[in-house]
Amino acid sequence: MRRNNFYFKSFQLVILSVLLTMMSACSYFPAIAPIDQNDSEERPPVHVEGYPVATFFPDLNIDFKEEKIVTEHATPPVKEEVNEGDQKSMRIALTFDDGPDLKYTPRILDILKEKNVKATFFVVGIQVNKYPEVVQRMEDEGHMIGNHSYSHPSFTKLTKEQLKQEIDETDEKIQAAIGYTPEIVRPPYGAINDEVRAELESYGKQVIIWNIDPRDWDGNSVEDMLDNILTNARDGGNILLHSFGSKHVENTVKLLPTAIDRLEELGYIFVTIDEL
Ligand code: ZN
């Protein structure tokens, strides 16, 4: 009887181990969205001087149809060991694309300042050229700045020369605004392939995508966006938001204070991309 009991308990332990192994394996293979590296949808070219294939957006009218999550950043980051008593070590980054502007970006900066949160802004050269003082404010208030192209084209549709021009021209405008050029680049729409990545890296740039996307440009409600962020939040989270480019950025401004408070309640600290 005792012997049978021993075998039964051993059997239970084996089954339990197998189940635990399967569960932990599953958690490392989250649902992955397909990469569309050859986004074939044609966008009407808009002429910007010196940028023949640019799809420049007029104020408040960016076409975000191609914006999508890119798979390589969908994998959860390796969690670092948490020391006892160091429960506040979960890091998360707020990133804001497409600015600067004078309507939304300053209000976002006001909120970040009030909440004492540092964020990362991926700025567009055309906008930097118009509002360098807003980029200066980002810098003065401790935020990180990244290059998000000059005219917001899909990098996978450019020649190498055009790609270089998009990066260089934006770097020049950022340099003129704050005195240095950023080391990070976020491709518009997250459109990237091996060739573009290699090219950007040959300029000394690090490519940064995102892994949490509440689709703020798409007119989602504040509640839905908050739910998306809180559901997907994790150590190493990189949240895509916008500070310009759509009338729906109004909702981003409304969302921000609550999102910051709720994430802080969950133990997250806000960091810039270089600290993630
Ligand atoms: Zn963008």
Side-chain angles (χ1 to χ4, degrees):
M1 190 62 188
R2 188 180 291 171
R3 192 179 172 82
N4 283 347
N5 196 29
F6 171 77
Y7 283 126
F8 182 63
K9 284 200 167 159
S10 304
F11 179 68
Q12 279 183 315
L13 276 173
V14 169
I15 294 294
L16 188 63
S17 312
V18 168
L19 280 173
L20 282 172
T21 307
M22 286 170 69
M23 284 164 70
S24 65
C26 287
S27 70
Y28 279 90
F29 294 99
I32 287 177
I35 296 183
D36 179 5
Q37 294 185 342
N38 304 305
D39 40 330
S40 56
E41 189 181 347
E42 281 301 313
R43 296 153 57 103
V46 178
H47 180 72
V48 176
E49 196 176 352
Y51 296 87
V53 297
T55 48
F56 169 58
F57 44 90
D59 278 10
L60 305 180
N61 191 27
I62 293 181
D63 177 2
F64 285 103
K65 273 183 287 188
E66 297 168 58
E67 202 102 47
K68 61 180 76 70
I69 292 178
V70 173
T71 58
E72 63 193 287
H73 289 260
T75 309
V78 177
K79 292 198 174 180
E80 290 181 4
E81 281 190 27
V82 179
N83 297 325
E84 275 187 36
D86 184 21
Q87 293 302 311
K88 284 226 163 208
S89 66
M90 290 195 300
R91 287 171 293 185
I92 202 158
L94 292 170
T95 69
F96 297 91
D97 287 11
D98 298 348
D101 75 327
L102 292 182
K103 184 169 182 179
Y104 302 112
T105 312
R107 291 162 67 196
I108 287 170
L109 285 166
D110 288 346
I111 295 166
L112 295 173
K113 189 175 185 181
E114 191 200 318
K115 301 281 184 188
N116 195 24
V117 165
K118 306 303 177 207
T120 303
F121 288 84
F122 289 94
V123 295
V124 173
I126 285 175
Q127 298 299 109
V128 178
N129 193 39
K130 287 185 195 167
Y131 311 113
E133 70 280 9
V134 182
V135 183
Q136 180 66 60
R137 183 180 166 192
M138 293 169 184
E139 169 70 10
D140 290 346
E141 295 180 1
H143 303 295
M144 190 176 189
I145 291 156
N147 185 322
H148 191 47
S149 82
Y150 193 78
S151 59
H152 211 269
S154 181
F155 284 174
T156 51
K157 292 178 179 171
L158 303 186
T159 64
K160 283 185 178 179
E161 291 70 28
Q162 289 165 338
L163 177 63
K164 189 157 191 347
Q165 195 176 11
E166 285 284 335
I167 299 299
D168 286 352
E169 191 87 352
T170 307
D171 272 356
E172 281 171 28
K173 300 300 177 192
I174 295 172
Q175 170 86 38
I178 57 172
Y180 67 87
T181 56
E183 293 174 0
I184 53 173
V185 169
R186 174 173 280 166
Y189 316 106
I192 187 82
N193 57 28
D194 290 345
E195 261 187 300
V196 171
R197 176 181 297 281
E199 193 65 14
L200 291 170
E201 287 176 355
S202 78
Y203 311 155
K205 303 294 189 191
Q206 187 186 353
V207 176
I208 304 291
I209 311 292
W210 59 82
N211 55 24
I212 300 172
D213 181 8
R215 297 169 69 90
D216 65 337
W217 50 270
D218 204 16
N220 289 323
S221 70
V222 170
E223 290 73 23
D224 285 351
M225 291 194 287
L226 188 62
D227 186 52
N228 179 303
I229 289 171
L230 296 178
T231 301
N232 294 295
R234 55 182 179 268
D235 188 22
N238 172 346
I239 304 172
L240 171 66
L241 294 167
H242 293 81
S243 79
F244 176 62
S246 159
K247 63 182 179 183
H248 300 304
V249 175
E250 189 65 42
N251 276 356
T252 311
V253 177
K254 286 184 193 146
L255 162 77
L256 194 54
T258 314
I260 290 172
D261 291 347
R262 294 292 300 277
L263 287 166
E264 283 185 338
E265 283 165 19
L266 291 172
Y268 288 97
I269 56 166
F270 293 96
V271 297
T272 48
I273 286 295
D274 57 333
E275 300 168 325
L276 204 55

mmCIF file of all heavy atoms in Angstrom, residues 12-43:
data_model
loop_
_atom_site.group_PDB
_atom_site.id
_atom_site.type_symbol
_atom_site.label_atom_id
_atom_site.label_comp_id
_atom_site.label_asym_id
_atom_site.label_seq_id
_atom_site.Cartn_x
_atom_site.Cartn_y
_atom_site.Cartn_z
ATOM 1 N N GLN A 12 2.392 11.781 -9.884
ATOM 2 C CA GLN A 12 1.800 13.124 -9.797
ATOM 3 C C GLN A 12 2.863 14.195 -10.024
ATOM 4 O O GLN A 12 2.647 15.181 -10.721
ATOM 5 C CB GLN A 12 1.181 13.346 -8.412
ATOM 6 C CG GLN A 12 -0.199 12.724 -8.272
ATOM 7 C CD GLN A 12 -0.783 13.032 -6.908
ATOM 8 O OE1 GLN A 12 -0.071 12.907 -5.909
ATOM 9 N NE2 GLN A 12 -2.032 13.419 -6.863
ATOM 10 N N LEU A 13 4.030 13.985 -9.418
ATOM 11 C CA LEU A 13 5.111 14.979 -9.547
ATOM 12 C C LEU A 13 5.569 15.111 -10.994
ATOM 13 O O LEU A 13 5.800 16.206 -11.494
ATOM 14 C CB LEU A 13 6.305 14.573 -8.671
ATOM 15 C CG LEU A 13 6.196 15.001 -7.211
ATOM 16 C CD1 LEU A 13 7.335 14.416 -6.409
ATOM 17 C CD2 LEU A 13 6.209 16.530 -7.115
ATOM 18 N N VAL A 14 5.669 13.950 -11.677
ATOM 19 C CA VAL A 14 6.107 13.977 -13.078
ATOM 20 C C VAL A 14 5.104 14.765 -13.911
ATOM 21 O O VAL A 14 5.459 15.645 -14.697
ATOM 22 C CB VAL A 14 6.266 12.540 -13.625
ATOM 23 C CG1 VAL A 14 6.451 12.561 -15.137
ATOM 24 C CG2 VAL A 14 7.446 11.863 -12.951
ATOM 25 N N ILE A 15 3.807 14.466 -13.724
ATOM 26 C CA ILE A 15 2.755 15.159 -14.492
ATOM 27 C C ILE A 15 2.820 16.663 -14.217
ATOM 28 O O ILE A 15 2.776 17.487 -15.134
ATOM 29 C CB ILE A 15 1.358 14.616 -14.102
ATOM 30 C CG1 ILE A 15 1.222 13.158 -14.540
ATOM 31 C CG2 ILE A 15 0.256 15.468 -14.732
ATOM 32 C CD1 ILE A 15 1.236 12.938 -16.033
ATOM 33 N N LEU A 16 2.993 17.026 -12.950
ATOM 34 C CA LEU A 16 3.056 18.437 -12.567
ATOM 35 C C LEU A 16 4.233 19.132 -13.251
ATOM 36 O O LEU A 16 4.108 20.233 -13.796
ATOM 37 C CB LEU A 16 3.176 18.544 -11.038
ATOM 38 C CG LEU A 16 3.051 19.947 -10.471
ATOM 39 C CD1 LEU A 16 1.669 20.526 -10.761
ATOM 40 C CD2 LEU A 16 3.299 19.936 -8.967
ATOM 41 N N SER A 17 5.399 18.448 -13.260
ATOM 42 C CA SER A 17 6.583 19.051 -13.899
ATOM 43 C C SER A 17 6.343 19.293 -15.374
ATOM 44 O O SER A 17 6.691 20.332 -15.925
ATOM 45 C CB SER A 17 7.807 18.133 -13.756
ATOM 46 O OG SER A 17 7.918 17.703 -12.460
ATOM 47 N N VAL A 18 5.725 18.272 -16.038
ATOM 48 C CA VAL A 18 5.472 18.406 -17.474
ATOM 49 C C VAL A 18 4.548 19.592 -17.729
ATOM 50 O O VAL A 18 4.792 20.427 -18.599
ATOM 51 C CB VAL A 18 4.844 17.109 -18.035
ATOM 52 C CG1 VAL A 18 4.318 17.329 -19.446
ATOM 53 C CG2 VAL A 18 5.875 15.993 -18.019
ATOM 54 N N LEU A 19 3.497 19.711 -16.911
ATOM 55 C CA LEU A 19 2.553 20.824 -17.080
ATOM 56 C C LEU A 19 3.240 22.166 -16.892
ATOM 57 O O LEU A 19 3.056 23.093 -17.676
ATOM 58 C CB LEU A 19 1.395 20.690 -16.081
ATOM 59 C CG LEU A 19 0.308 19.693 -16.499
ATOM 60 C CD1 LEU A 19 -0.695 19.508 -15.375
ATOM 61 C CD2 LEU A 19 -0.402 20.168 -17.767
ATOM 62 N N LEU A 20 4.066 22.265 -15.848
ATOM 63 C CA LEU A 20 4.754 23.536 -15.577
ATOM 64 C C LEU A 20 5.680 23.899 -16.711
ATOM 65 O O LEU A 20 5.768 25.050 -17.136
ATOM 66 C CB LEU A 20 5.544 23.440 -14.268
ATOM 67 C CG LEU A 20 4.691 23.562 -13.003
ATOM 68 C CD1 LEU A 20 5.520 23.268 -11.768
ATOM 69 C CD2 LEU A 20 4.082 24.957 -12.906
ATOM 70 N N THR A 21 6.394 22.919 -17.249
ATOM 71 C CA THR A 21 7.318 23.179 -18.365
ATOM 72 C C THR A 21 6.552 23.697 -19.566
ATOM 73 O O THR A 21 6.944 24.665 -20.211
ATOM 74 C CB THR A 21 8.049 21.876 -18.756
ATOM 75 O OG1 THR A 21 8.627 21.350 -17.579
ATOM 76 C CG2 THR A 21 9.120 22.144 -19.791
ATOM 77 N N MET A 22 5.377 23.039 -19.856
ATOM 78 C CA MET A 22 4.589 23.472 -21.014
ATOM 79 C C MET A 22 4.083 24.901 -20.814
ATOM 80 O O MET A 22 4.119 25.712 -21.728
ATOM 81 C CB MET A 22 3.390 22.528 -21.212
ATOM 82 C CG MET A 22 3.805 21.188 -21.775
ATOM 83 S SD MET A 22 2.450 20.011 -21.730
ATOM 84 C CE MET A 22 1.367 20.717 -22.953
ATOM 85 N N MET A 23 3.632 25.202 -19.580
ATOM 86 C CA MET A 23 3.098 26.539 -19.325
ATOM 87 C C MET A 23 4.170 27.598 -19.488
ATOM 88 O O MET A 23 3.956 28.642 -20.089
ATOM 89 C CB MET A 23 2.506 26.623 -17.906
ATOM 90 C CG MET A 23 1.153 25.945 -17.802
ATOM 91 S SD MET A 23 0.696 25.656 -16.103
ATOM 92 C CE MET A 23 0.408 27.320 -15.568
ATOM 93 N N SER A 24 5.374 27.339 -18.983
ATOM 94 C CA SER A 24 6.417 28.368 -19.083
ATOM 95 C C SER A 24 6.870 28.521 -20.522
ATOM 96 O O SER A 24 7.180 29.606 -20.982
ATOM 97 C CB SER A 24 7.586 28.059 -18.156
ATOM 98 O OG SER A 24 8.202 26.880 -18.574
ATOM 99 N N ALA A 25 6.874 27.413 -21.280
ATOM 100 C CA ALA A 25 7.269 27.512 -22.697
ATOM 101 C C ALA A 25 6.279 28.381 -23.449
ATOM 102 O O ALA A 25 6.658 29.251 -24.227
ATOM 103 C CB ALA A 25 7.334 26.107 -23.300
ATOM 104 N N CYS A 26 4.980 28.187 -23.192
ATOM 105 C CA CYS A 26 3.948 28.951 -23.904
ATOM 106 C C CYS A 26 4.093 30.449 -23.656
ATOM 107 O O CYS A 26 3.889 31.255 -24.541
ATOM 108 C CB CYS A 26 2.561 28.519 -23.465
ATOM 109 S SG CYS A 26 2.139 26.907 -24.119
ATOM 110 N N SER A 27 4.478 30.802 -22.420
ATOM 111 C CA SER A 27 4.547 32.223 -22.100
ATOM 112 C C SER A 27 5.655 32.917 -22.875
ATOM 113 O O SER A 27 5.685 34.139 -22.966
ATOM 114 C CB SER A 27 4.752 32.420 -20.604
ATOM 115 O OG SER A 27 6.051 32.005 -20.265
ATOM 116 N N TYR A 28 6.577 32.145 -23.444
ATOM 117 C CA TYR A 28 7.641 32.777 -24.220
ATOM 118 C C TYR A 28 7.350 32.808 -25.708
ATOM 119 O O TYR A 28 8.168 33.212 -26.495
ATOM 120 C CB TYR A 28 8.978 32.067 -23.942
ATOM 121 C CG TYR A 28 9.571 32.578 -22.661
ATOM 122 C CD1 TYR A 28 9.277 31.967 -21.446
ATOM 123 C CD2 TYR A 28 10.349 33.728 -22.657
ATOM 124 C CE1 TYR A 28 9.774 32.469 -20.269
ATOM 125 C CE2 TYR A 28 10.851 34.229 -21.475
ATOM 126 C CZ TYR A 28 10.565 33.596 -20.282
ATOM 127 O OH TYR A 28 11.046 34.112 -19.125
ATOM 128 N N PHE A 29 6.193 32.360 -26.091
ATOM 129 C CA PHE A 29 5.835 32.420 -27.501
ATOM 130 C C PHE A 29 4.487 33.107 -27.654
ATOM 131 O O PHE A 29 3.480 32.469 -27.916
ATOM 132 C CB PHE A 29 5.794 31.003 -28.094
ATOM 133 C CG PHE A 29 7.143 30.363 -28.115
ATOM 134 C CD1 PHE A 29 7.521 29.469 -27.125
ATOM 135 C CD2 PHE A 29 8.075 30.692 -29.088
ATOM 136 C CE1 PHE A 29 8.785 28.911 -27.124
ATOM 137 C CE2 PHE A 29 9.333 30.136 -29.089
ATOM 138 C CZ PHE A 29 9.699 29.232 -28.109
ATOM 139 N N PRO A 30 4.477 34.412 -27.433
ATOM 140 C CA PRO A 30 3.210 35.123 -27.534
ATOM 141 C C PRO A 30 2.762 35.179 -28.982
ATOM 142 O O PRO A 30 3.524 34.919 -29.896
ATOM 143 C CB PRO A 30 3.574 36.530 -27.047
ATOM 144 C CG PRO A 30 5.023 36.648 -27.361
ATOM 145 C CD PRO A 30 5.616 35.277 -27.204
ATOM 146 N N ALA A 31 1.503 35.515 -29.162
ATOM 147 C CA ALA A 31 0.986 35.650 -30.525
ATOM 148 C C ALA A 31 1.817 36.685 -31.267
ATOM 149 O O ALA A 31 2.105 37.750 -30.736
ATOM 150 C CB ALA A 31 -0.467 36.106 -30.468
ATOM 151 N N ILE A 32 2.227 36.340 -32.445
ATOM 152 C CA ILE A 32 3.123 37.233 -33.185
ATOM 153 C C ILE A 32 2.418 37.713 -34.446
ATOM 154 O O ILE A 32 1.886 36.912 -35.214
ATOM 155 C CB ILE A 32 4.425 36.477 -33.531
ATOM 156 C CG1 ILE A 32 5.251 36.325 -32.249
ATOM 157 C CG2 ILE A 32 5.207 37.217 -34.590
ATOM 158 C CD1 ILE A 32 6.501 35.544 -32.441
ATOM 159 N N ALA A 33 2.415 39.014 -34.618
ATOM 160 C CA ALA A 33 1.791 39.585 -35.806
ATOM 161 C C ALA A 33 2.721 39.421 -37.000
ATOM 162 O O ALA A 33 3.936 39.438 -36.840
ATOM 163 C CB ALA A 33 1.515 41.065 -35.568
ATOM 164 N N PRO A 34 2.179 39.240 -38.189
ATOM 165 C CA PRO A 34 3.054 39.050 -39.354
ATOM 166 C C PRO A 34 3.770 40.341 -39.727
ATOM 167 O O PRO A 34 3.219 41.422 -39.592
ATOM 168 C CB PRO A 34 2.063 38.653 -40.451
ATOM 169 C CG PRO A 34 0.755 39.229 -40.012
ATOM 170 C CD PRO A 34 0.766 39.232 -38.522
ATOM 171 N N ILE A 35 4.990 40.214 -40.175
ATOM 172 C CA ILE A 35 5.713 41.386 -40.673
ATOM 173 C C ILE A 35 5.296 41.596 -42.125
ATOM 174 O O ILE A 35 5.230 40.653 -42.883
ATOM 175 C CB ILE A 35 7.231 41.152 -40.688
ATOM 176 C CG1 ILE A 35 7.759 40.961 -39.292
ATOM 177 C CG2 ILE A 35 7.954 42.332 -41.331
ATOM 178 C CD1 ILE A 35 9.265 40.806 -39.270
ATOM 179 N N ASP A 36 5.013 42.811 -42.449
ATOM 180 C CA ASP A 36 4.777 43.120 -43.847
ATOM 181 C C ASP A 36 5.942 43.972 -44.304
ATOM 182 O O ASP A 36 5.954 45.176 -44.140
ATOM 183 C CB ASP A 36 3.453 43.870 -44.001
ATOM 184 C CG ASP A 36 3.193 44.223 -45.461
ATOM 185 O OD1 ASP A 36 3.984 43.804 -46.324
ATOM 186 O OD2 ASP A 36 2.201 44.915 -45.720
ATOM 187 N N GLN A 37 6.945 43.302 -44.851
ATOM 188 C CA GLN A 37 8.145 44.045 -45.231
ATOM 189 C C GLN A 37 8.007 44.638 -46.632
ATOM 190 O O GLN A 37 8.812 45.438 -47.051
ATOM 191 C CB GLN A 37 9.361 43.136 -45.153
ATOM 192 C CG GLN A 37 9.637 42.729 -43.716
ATOM 193 C CD GLN A 37 10.889 41.932 -43.580
ATOM 194 O OE1 GLN A 37 11.390 41.389 -44.556
ATOM 195 N NE2 GLN A 37 11.417 41.840 -42.383
ATOM 196 N N ASN A 38 7.027 44.175 -47.337
ATOM 197 C CA ASN A 38 6.869 44.681 -48.695
ATOM 198 C C ASN A 38 5.517 45.351 -48.820
ATOM 199 O O ASN A 38 4.716 45.002 -49.671
ATOM 200 C CB ASN A 38 6.957 43.527 -49.695
ATOM 201 C CG ASN A 38 8.252 42.779 -49.524
ATOM 202 O OD1 ASN A 38 9.317 43.371 -49.581
ATOM 203 N ND2 ASN A 38 8.158 41.490 -49.296
ATOM 204 N N ASP A 39 5.265 46.254 -47.911
ATOM 205 C CA ASP A 39 3.948 46.872 -47.903
ATOM 206 C C ASP A 39 3.666 47.446 -49.287
ATOM 207 O O ASP A 39 4.262 48.409 -49.704
ATOM 208 C CB ASP A 39 3.826 47.936 -46.814
ATOM 209 C CG ASP A 39 5.067 48.776 -46.683
ATOM 210 O OD1 ASP A 39 6.163 48.264 -46.964
ATOM 211 O OD2 ASP A 39 4.952 49.923 -46.341
ATOM 212 N N SER A 40 2.766 46.792 -49.957
ATOM 213 C CA SER A 40 2.604 47.090 -51.379
ATOM 214 C C SER A 40 1.585 48.192 -51.623
ATOM 215 O O SER A 40 1.439 48.660 -52.724
ATOM 216 C CB SER A 40 2.146 45.820 -52.101
ATOM 217 O OG SER A 40 0.968 45.344 -51.488
ATOM 218 N N GLU A 41 0.894 48.569 -50.573
ATOM 219 C CA GLU A 41 -0.139 49.584 -50.761
ATOM 220 C C GLU A 41 0.491 50.884 -51.254
ATOM 221 O O GLU A 41 1.410 51.414 -50.649
ATOM 222 C CB GLU A 41 -0.852 49.833 -49.438
ATOM 223 C CG GLU A 41 -2.064 50.699 -49.601
ATOM 224 C CD GLU A 41 -2.726 50.936 -48.240
ATOM 225 O OE1 GLU A 41 -2.375 50.232 -47.299
ATOM 226 O OE2 GLU A 41 -3.554 51.830 -48.169
ATOM 227 N N GLU A 42 -0.007 51.367 -52.343
ATOM 228 C CA GLU A 42 0.563 52.591 -52.900
ATOM 229 C C GLU A 42 0.005 53.797 -52.177
ATOM 230 O O GLU A 42 -1.189 53.912 -51.966
ATOM 231 C CB GLU A 42 0.228 52.677 -54.388
ATOM 232 C CG GLU A 42 1.111 51.801 -55.259
ATOM 233 C CD GLU A 42 2.594 52.145 -55.128
ATOM 234 O OE1 GLU A 42 2.930 53.328 -55.178
ATOM 235 O OE2 GLU A 42 3.403 51.211 -54.970
ATOM 236 N N ARG A 43 0.876 54.686 -51.814
ATOM 237 C CA ARG A 43 0.429 55.939 -51.210
ATOM 238 C C ARG A 43 0.741 57.052 -52.187
ATOM 239 O O ARG A 43 1.756 57.026 -52.842
ATOM 240 C CB ARG A 43 1.183 56.189 -49.907
ATOM 241 C CG ARG A 43 0.890 55.150 -48.852
ATOM 242 C CD ARG A 43 2.049 55.040 -47.918
ATOM 243 N NE ARG A 43 2.352 56.331 -47.319
ATOM 244 C CZ ARG A 43 2.020 56.655 -46.077
ATOM 245 N NH1 ARG A 43 1.412 55.793 -45.330
ATOM 246 N NH2 ARG A 43 2.314 57.819 -45.578
#
